[in-house]
Amino acid sequence: GAVVSQHPSWVICKSGTSVKIECRSLDFQATTMFWYRQFPKQSLMLMATSNEGSKATYEQGVEKDKFLINHASLTLSTLTVTSAHPEDSSFYICSARGARGGGADTQYFGPGTRLTVL
Amino acid sequence: EDQVTQSPEALRLQEGESSSLNCSYTVSGLRGLFWYRQDPGKGPEFLFTLYSAGEEKEKERLKATLTKKESFLHITAPKPEDSATYLCAVQAVRGYALNFGKGTSLLVT
């Protein structure tokens, strides 16, 4: 069964509004969670790494003031897209790192959130 | 800079026709190499982790192998339900982030 959940699975919003996406690890504690985005026919691009209780580390070119990440507990991380614009439309996927048979280095991915900004 | 190159970009197989997908990589100190399967509109599903050259892992019709420069995902007697995009990713010793290749889109008919 699913080990990482995301909510919502899809969202449509108007330009200028903010959208929050939740990522939960369901049956293990995730020391580290990651946020990726994926454009059509492209591979996953890492946006940021978040550790529980500390500030997220953003990849080069990712605006930290636009993509707010909060990792409040060992099972929950949230991504807030602030003042969303059409170019932010994408497939956002989170992952959680934890020991679950694949080793402590393995990342387990959520089902993704499709964001469409009108 | 870490690089991951997957080939072929797309592969079409007849049911039962075995083949291999390639993942060539360069990384400053390999912590692990990962294979994932991704279905359209879904998140990647974990398949295998390989840590050192010579290591092999198997799961049903899939077998992953690793050398110092590349990894292969062998698919034996594939079925239509094996159709998906297969992603390869490397993780360097300096951190836990994954660097993904562009994937191989497999269609089994």
Coordinates of all heavy atoms in Angstrom, one line a residue, chain A residues 19-87:
Chain A
V19 N -1.4 28.3 -2.8 CA -1.8 26.9 -2.7 C -0.9 26.1 -1.8 O 0.3 26.2 -1.9 CB -1.8 26.2 -4.1 CG1 -2.2 24.8 -4.0 CG2 -2.8 26.9 -5.0
K20 N -1.5 25.3 -0.9 CA -0.7 24.5 0.0 C -0.9 23.0 -0.3 O -2.0 22.5 -0.5 CB -1.2 24.7 1.5 CG -0.3 23.9 2.5 CD -0.9 24.0 3.9 CE -0.4 25.3 4.6 NZ -0.7 25.3 6.0
I21 N 0.2 22.3 -0.4 CA 0.2 20.9 -0.7 C 0.8 20.2 0.5 O 1.9 20.6 1.0 CB 1.1 20.6 -1.9 CG1 0.5 21.4 -3.1 CG2 1.1 19.1 -2.2 CD1 1.4 21.3 -4.4
E22 N 0.2 19.1 1.0 CA 0.6 18.4 2.2 C 1.3 17.1 1.7 O 0.8 16.4 0.8 CB -0.5 18.1 3.1 CG -1.0 19.2 3.9 CD -2.0 18.8 5.0 OE1 -2.4 17.6 5.0 OE2 -2.4 19.6 5.8
C23 N 2.3 16.7 2.4 CA 3.0 15.4 2.2 C 3.1 14.7 3.5 O 3.7 15.3 4.4 CB 4.3 15.7 1.5 SG 5.3 14.2 1.2
R24 N 2.6 13.4 3.6 CA 2.7 12.7 4.8 C 3.4 11.3 4.6 O 3.0 10.6 3.6 CB 1.3 12.5 5.4 CG 0.6 13.7 5.9 CD -0.7 13.4 6.5 NE -1.4 14.6 6.8 CZ -1.3 15.3 8.0 NH1 -0.5 14.7 8.9 NH2 -2.0 16.4 8.3
S25 N 4.3 10.9 5.5 CA 4.8 9.6 5.5 C 3.8 8.8 6.4 O 3.6 9.2 7.5 CB 6.2 9.5 5.9 OG 6.3 10.0 7.2
L26 N 3.3 7.7 5.9 CA 2.2 7.0 6.6 C 2.7 6.0 7.6 O 2.0 5.8 8.6 CB 1.3 6.3 5.5 CG 0.6 7.3 4.6 CD1 -0.2 6.6 3.6 CD2 -0.2 8.4 5.3
D27 N 3.7 5.2 7.3 CA 4.1 4.2 8.3 C 5.5 4.2 8.7 O 6.1 3.2 9.1 CB 3.7 2.8 7.7 CG 4.4 2.5 6.4 OD1 5.1 3.4 5.9 OD2 4.3 1.4 5.9
F28 N 6.2 5.3 8.5 CA 7.5 5.4 9.0 C 7.8 6.9 9.3 O 7.2 7.8 8.8 CB 8.6 4.9 8.0 CG 8.7 5.6 6.7 CD1 9.7 6.5 6.5 CD2 7.7 5.4 5.7 CE1 9.8 7.2 5.3 CE2 7.8 6.1 4.5 CZ 8.8 7.0 4.3
Q29 N 8.8 7.1 10.1 CA 9.2 8.5 10.4 C 10.3 9.0 9.4 O 11.3 8.3 9.2 CB 9.8 8.6 11.8 CG 8.7 8.4 12.9 CD 9.2 8.6 14.3 OE1 10.3 8.3 14.6 NE2 8.3 9.1 15.1
A30 N 10.0 10.1 8.8 CA 10.9 10.6 7.7 C 11.8 11.7 8.2 O 11.3 12.8 8.4 CB 10.1 11.0 6.5
T31 N 13.0 11.4 8.4 CA 14.0 12.5 8.8 C 14.0 13.6 7.8 O 14.1 14.8 8.1 CB 15.4 11.9 9.0 OG1 15.3 10.6 9.5 CG2 16.2 12.7 9.9
T32 N 14.0 13.2 6.5 CA 14.2 14.2 5.5 C 13.1 14.0 4.4 O 12.7 12.8 4.1 CB 15.5 14.0 4.7 OG1 16.6 13.9 5.7 CG2 15.8 15.1 3.8
M33 N 12.5 15.0 4.0 CA 11.5 15.0 2.9 C 12.0 15.9 1.8 O 12.8 16.9 2.0 CB 10.2 15.5 3.4 CG 9.5 14.4 4.3 SD 7.8 14.9 4.7 CE 7.2 13.4 5.4
F34 N 11.7 15.6 0.6 CA 12.1 16.3 -0.6 C 10.9 16.7 -1.5 O 9.9 16.0 -1.5 CB 13.0 15.4 -1.5 CG 14.2 14.8 -0.8 CD1 14.1 13.7 0.0 CD2 15.4 15.4 -0.9 CE1 15.2 13.1 0.7 CE2 16.5 14.8 -0.2 CZ 16.4 13.7 0.5
W35 N 11.0 17.8 -2.2 CA 10.0 18.3 -3.1 C 10.6 18.4 -4.5 O 11.6 19.0 -4.7 CB 9.4 19.6 -2.6 CG 8.6 19.5 -1.4 CD1 9.0 19.7 -0.1 CD2 7.2 19.2 -1.4 NE1 7.9 19.4 0.7 CE2 6.8 19.1 0.0 CE3 6.2 18.9 -2.4 CZ2 5.5 18.9 0.4 CZ3 4.9 18.6 -2.0 CH2 4.6 18.6 -0.6
Y36 N 9.8 17.8 -5.4 CA 10.2 17.8 -6.8 C 9.1 18.4 -7.6 O 8.0 18.4 -7.2 CB 10.5 16.3 -7.3 CG 11.6 15.6 -6.7 CD1 11.5 15.0 -5.4 CD2 12.9 15.5 -7.3 CE1 12.5 14.3 -4.8 CE2 13.9 14.7 -6.7 CZ 13.7 14.2 -5.5 OH 14.8 13.5 -4.9
R37 N 9.5 18.8 -8.8 CA 8.5 19.2 -9.8 C 8.8 18.5 -11.1 O 10.0 18.2 -11.4 CB 8.3 20.7 -10.0 CG 9.5 21.4 -10.5 CD 9.3 22.9 -10.5 NE 8.2 23.4 -11.3 CZ 7.9 24.7 -11.4 NH1 8.6 25.6 -10.7 NH2 6.9 25.1 -12.1
Q38 N 7.7 18.2 -11.9 CA 7.9 17.5 -13.1 C 7.0 18.1 -14.2 O 5.8 18.1 -14.0 CB 7.6 16.0 -12.9 CG 7.9 15.1 -14.1 CD 7.6 13.6 -13.8 OE1 6.7 13.3 -13.0 NE2 8.3 12.7 -14.4
F39 N 7.6 18.5 -15.3 CA 6.9 19.0 -16.4 C 6.6 17.9 -17.3 O 7.3 16.9 -17.3 CB 7.7 20.1 -17.1 CG 7.8 21.4 -16.2 CD1 9.0 21.7 -15.6 CD2 6.7 22.2 -16.1 CE1 9.1 22.8 -14.8 CE2 6.8 23.4 -15.3 CZ 8.0 23.7 -14.6
P40 N 5.6 18.0 -18.2 CA 5.2 17.0 -19.1 C 6.4 16.4 -19.9 O 7.2 17.2 -20.4 CB 4.2 17.6 -20.0 CG 3.6 18.7 -19.2 CD 4.7 19.2 -18.3
K41 N 6.5 15.1 -20.0 CA 7.6 14.4 -20.7 C 9.0 14.7 -20.2 O 10.0 14.4 -20.9 CB 7.5 14.8 -22.2 CG 6.2 14.6 -22.8 CD 5.9 13.1 -23.0 CE 4.5 12.9 -23.7 NZ 4.2 11.5 -23.8
Q42 N 9.1 15.3 -19.0 CA 10.4 15.6 -18.4 C 10.6 14.7 -17.1 O 9.6 14.1 -16.6 CB 10.5 17.0 -18.0 CG 10.3 18.0 -19.1 CD 11.5 18.0 -20.0 OE1 12.7 18.0 -19.6 NE2 11.3 18.1 -21.3
S43 N 11.8 14.7 -16.7 CA 12.1 13.9 -15.5 C 11.9 14.8 -14.2 O 11.5 16.0 -14.4 CB 13.5 13.3 -15.5 OG 13.6 12.4 -14.5
L44 N 12.1 14.2 -13.1 CA 11.9 15.0 -11.8 C 13.0 15.9 -11.6 O 14.2 15.5 -11.7 CB 11.7 14.0 -10.7 CG 10.4 13.2 -10.5 CD1 10.3 12.1 -11.5 CD2 10.3 12.7 -9.1
M45 N 12.7 17.1 -11.2 CA 13.7 18.1 -10.8 C 13.6 18.4 -9.3 O 12.5 18.9 -8.9 CB 13.6 19.4 -11.7 CG 13.8 19.1 -13.1 SD 15.5 18.6 -13.5 CE 16.4 20.0 -13.0
L46 N 14.6 18.3 -8.6 CA 14.6 18.6 -7.2 C 14.4 20.1 -6.9 O 15.1 20.9 -7.5 CB 15.9 18.1 -6.5 CG 16.0 18.3 -5.0 CD1 14.9 17.5 -4.2 CD2 17.4 17.9 -4.5
M47 N 13.5 20.4 -6.1 CA 13.3 21.8 -5.7 C 13.9 22.1 -4.4 O 14.6 23.1 -4.3 CB 11.8 22.1 -5.6 CG 11.0 21.9 -6.9 SD 9.2 22.2 -6.6 CE 9.2 23.9 -6.2
A48 N 13.7 21.3 -3.4 CA 14.2 21.6 -2.1 C 14.2 20.3 -1.2 O 13.5 19.4 -1.5 CB 13.3 22.6 -1.4
T49 N 15.1 20.4 -0.2 CA 15.2 19.3 0.8 C 14.8 19.9 2.1 O 15.3 21.0 2.5 CB 16.7 18.9 0.8 OG1 17.1 18.4 -0.4 CG2 16.8 17.7 1.9
S50 N 14.0 19.2 2.9 CA 13.6 19.7 4.2 C 13.8 18.7 5.3 O 13.6 17.5 5.1 CB 12.1 20.1 4.2 OG 11.2 19.0 4.2
N51 N 14.4 19.1 6.4 CA 14.6 18.3 7.5 C 13.7 18.8 8.6 O 13.5 20.0 8.8 CB 16.1 18.3 8.0 CG 17.0 17.7 7.0 OD1 17.0 16.5 6.8 ND2 17.8 18.5 6.3
E52 N 13.2 17.8 9.4 CA 12.2 18.2 10.5 C 12.8 19.1 11.4 O 13.9 18.9 11.9 CB 11.8 16.9 11.2 CG 10.8 17.1 12.2 CD 11.3 17.1 13.6 OE1 12.5 16.6 13.8 OE2 10.7 17.6 14.5
G53 N 12.1 20.3 11.6 CA 12.5 21.2 12.6 C 13.6 22.2 12.1 O 14.0 23.1 12.9
S54 N 14.0 22.2 10.9 CA 15.0 23.1 10.4 C 14.5 23.7 9.1 O 13.6 23.2 8.4 CB 16.3 22.5 10.3 OG 16.3 21.4 9.4
K55 N 15.2 24.7 8.6 CA 14.8 25.4 7.4 C 15.2 24.5 6.2 O 16.2 23.8 6.2 CB 15.6 26.7 7.3 CG 15.1 27.8 8.2 CD 15.8 29.1 7.9 CE 15.3 30.2 8.9 NZ 16.0 31.5 8.6
A56 N 14.4 24.7 5.2 CA 14.6 23.9 4.0 C 15.8 24.4 3.2 O 16.2 25.6 3.3 CB 13.4 23.9 3.1
T57 N 16.4 23.5 2.5 CA 17.5 23.9 1.6 C 17.0 23.8 0.1 O 16.6 22.8 -0.3 CB 18.7 22.9 1.7 OG1 19.1 22.8 3.1 CG2 19.9 23.3 0.8
Y58 N 17.1 24.9 -0.6 CA 16.6 25.1 -1.9 C 17.6 24.9 -2.9 O 18.8 25.3 -2.8 CB 15.9 26.4 -2.1 CG 14.6 26.6 -1.2 CD1 14.7 26.9 0.1 CD2 13.4 26.4 -1.8 CE1 13.6 27.1 0.9 CE2 12.2 26.6 -1.1 CZ 12.3 26.9 0.3 OH 11.2 27.0 1.0
E59 N 17.2 24.3 -4.1 CA 18.2 24.1 -5.2 C 18.3 25.5 -5.9 O 17.5 26.4 -5.8 CB 17.6 23.1 -6.2 CG 17.6 21.7 -5.6 CD 19.0 21.2 -5.2 OE1 19.8 21.1 -6.1 OE2 19.2 20.9 -4.0
Q60 N 19.4 25.6 -6.6 CA 19.7 26.8 -7.3 C 18.6 27.1 -8.3 O 18.1 26.2 -9.0 CB 21.0 26.6 -8.1 CG 21.6 27.9 -8.6 CD 23.0 27.8 -9.1 OE1 23.5 26.6 -9.3 NE2 23.7 28.9 -9.4
G61 N 18.1 28.3 -8.3 CA 17.1 28.8 -9.2 C 15.7 28.6 -8.7 O 14.7 29.1 -9.3
V62 N 15.5 28.0 -7.5 CA 14.2 27.9 -6.9 C 14.0 29.0 -5.9 O 14.8 29.2 -5.0 CB 14.1 26.5 -6.2 CG1 12.7 26.4 -5.5 CG2 14.2 25.4 -7.2
E63 N 13.0 29.8 -6.0 CA 12.7 30.9 -5.2 C 12.1 30.5 -3.8 O 11.0 30.0 -3.8 CB 11.7 31.9 -5.8 CG 12.2 32.5 -7.2 CD 11.1 33.3 -7.8 OE1 10.7 34.3 -7.2 OE2 10.7 32.9 -8.9
K64 N 12.9 30.7 -2.8 CA 12.4 30.2 -1.5 C 11.3 31.0 -0.9 O 10.5 30.5 -0.1 CB 13.6 30.2 -0.5 CG 14.2 31.6 -0.2 CD 15.3 31.5 0.8 CE 15.9 32.9 1.1 NZ 17.0 32.8 2.1
D65 N 11.1 32.3 -1.4 CA 10.0 33.1 -0.9 C 8.7 32.7 -1.7 O 7.6 33.1 -1.2 CB 10.3 34.6 -1.1 CG 11.4 35.0 -0.2 OD1 11.6 34.4 0.9 OD2 12.2 35.9 -0.6
K66 N 8.9 32.1 -2.8 CA 7.7 31.7 -3.6 C 7.2 30.3 -3.2 O 6.1 30.0 -3.1 CB 8.0 31.7 -5.1 CG 6.8 31.3 -5.9 CD 7.1 31.6 -7.4 CE 5.9 31.4 -8.2 NZ 4.8 32.3 -7.8
F67 N 8.2 29.4 -2.9 CA 7.9 28.0 -2.6 C 8.3 27.8 -1.1 O 9.4 27.5 -0.8 CB 8.6 27.0 -3.5 CG 8.3 27.2 -4.9 CD1 9.1 27.9 -5.8 CD2 7.1 26.6 -5.4 CE1 8.7 28.0 -7.2 CE2 6.8 26.7 -6.8 CZ 7.6 27.4 -7.6
L68 N 7.3 28.0 -0.2 CA 7.5 27.9 1.2 C 7.4 26.5 1.7 O 6.3 25.8 1.4 CB 6.5 28.8 2.0 CG 6.6 30.3 1.6 CD1 5.5 31.1 2.4 CD2 8.0 30.9 1.8
I69 N 8.4 26.0 2.4 CA 8.3 24.6 2.8 C 8.4 24.6 4.3 O 9.3 25.3 4.9 CB 9.5 23.8 2.2 CG1 9.3 23.6 0.7 CG2 9.6 22.4 2.9 CD1 10.4 23.0 0.0
N70 N 7.5 23.8 4.9 CA 7.5 23.7 6.4 C 7.5 22.2 6.7 O 6.7 21.4 6.1 CB 6.2 24.3 7.0 CG 6.2 24.2 8.5 OD1 5.8 23.2 9.0 ND2 6.7 25.2 9.1
H71 N 8.4 21.8 7.6 CA 8.5 20.3 7.9 C 8.3 20.3 9.4 O 9.2 20.2 10.2 CB 9.9 19.8 7.5 CG 10.1 18.4 7.6 ND1 11.0 17.7 6.8 CD2 9.4 17.4 8.2 CE1 10.9 16.4 7.0 NE2 9.9 16.2 7.9
A72 N 7.0 20.3 9.8 CA 6.7 20.5 11.2 C 6.9 19.2 12.1 O 7.1 19.3 13.3 CB 5.2 20.9 11.3
S73 N 6.8 18.0 11.4 CA 7.0 16.8 12.2 C 7.7 15.8 11.4 O 8.0 16.0 10.2 CB 5.6 16.3 12.7 OG 4.9 15.7 11.6
L74 N 8.0 14.6 12.0 CA 8.7 13.6 11.2 C 7.8 12.9 10.2 O 8.2 12.0 9.5 CB 9.2 12.5 12.2 CG 10.4 13.0 13.0 CD1 10.8 12.0 14.1 CD2 11.6 13.2 12.1
T75 N 6.5 13.3 10.1 CA 5.6 12.6 9.2 C 4.9 13.6 8.3 O 4.1 13.2 7.4 CB 4.5 11.8 9.9 OG1 3.8 12.6 10.8 CG2 5.2 10.7 10.7
L76 N 5.2 14.9 8.4 CA 4.4 15.9 7.6 C 5.3 17.0 7.1 O 6.1 17.6 7.9 CB 3.3 16.5 8.5 CG 2.5 17.7 7.9 CD1 1.8 17.2 6.6 CD2 1.6 18.3 8.9
S77 N 5.3 17.3 5.8 CA 5.9 18.4 5.2 C 4.9 19.1 4.3 O 4.0 18.4 3.7 CB 7.1 18.0 4.4 OG 7.7 19.1 3.8
T78 N 4.9 20.4 4.3 CA 4.0 21.2 3.4 C 4.8 22.1 2.5 O 5.8 22.6 2.8 CB 3.0 22.0 4.2 OG1 3.7 22.9 5.0 CG2 2.1 21.1 5.1
L79 N 4.2 22.2 1.3 CA 4.8 23.1 0.2 C 3.7 24.1 -0.1 O 2.6 23.7 -0.4 CB 5.2 22.4 -1.0 CG 5.5 23.2 -2.3 CD1 6.8 24.0 -2.1 CD2 5.6 22.3 -3.5
T80 N 4.0 25.4 0.1 CA 3.0 26.4 -0.2 C 3.5 27.2 -1.4 O 4.6 27.8 -1.3 CB 2.8 27.4 0.9 OG1 2.3 26.6 2.1 CG2 1.7 28.4 0.6
V81 N 2.8 27.2 -2.5 CA 3.1 28.0 -3.7 C 2.4 29.4 -3.5 O 1.2 29.4 -3.5 CB 2.7 27.3 -5.0 CG1 3.1 28.2 -6.2 CG2 3.2 25.9 -5.0
T82 N 3.2 30.4 -3.3 CA 2.6 31.7 -3.0 C 2.5 32.5 -4.3 O 3.3 32.4 -5.2 CB 3.5 32.5 -2.0 OG1 4.8 32.7 -2.6 CG2 3.6 31.7 -0.7
S83 N 1.4 33.3 -4.3 CA 1.2 34.1 -5.5 C 1.4 33.4 -6.8 O 2.3 33.7 -7.6 CB 2.0 35.4 -5.5 OG 1.7 36.3 -6.5
A84 N 0.6 32.3 -6.9 CA 0.9 31.4 -8.1 C 0.6 32.1 -9.4 O -0.3 32.9 -9.5 CB 0.0 30.1 -7.9
H85 N 1.4 31.7 -10.4 CA 1.2 32.2 -11.8 C 1.1 31.0 -12.7 O 1.5 29.9 -12.3 CB 2.3 33.1 -12.1 CG 2.3 34.4 -11.4 ND1 1.4 35.4 -11.7 CD2 3.0 34.8 -10.3 CE1 1.6 36.4 -10.9 NE2 2.5 36.1 -10.0
P86 N 0.6 31.2 -13.9 CA 0.4 30.1 -14.8 C 1.7 29.3 -15.1 O 1.7 28.0 -15.2 CB 0.0 30.7 -16.1 CG -0.8 31.9 -15.6 CD -0.1 32.4 -14.4
E87 N 2.9 29.9 -15.0 CA 4.1 29.2 -15.2 C 4.5 28.3 -14.0 O 5.4 27.4 -14.2 CB 5.3 30.2 -15.4 CG 5.5 31.2 -14.4 CD 4.8 32.5 -14.7 OE1 3.8 32.5 -15.3 OE2 5.3 33.5 -14.2

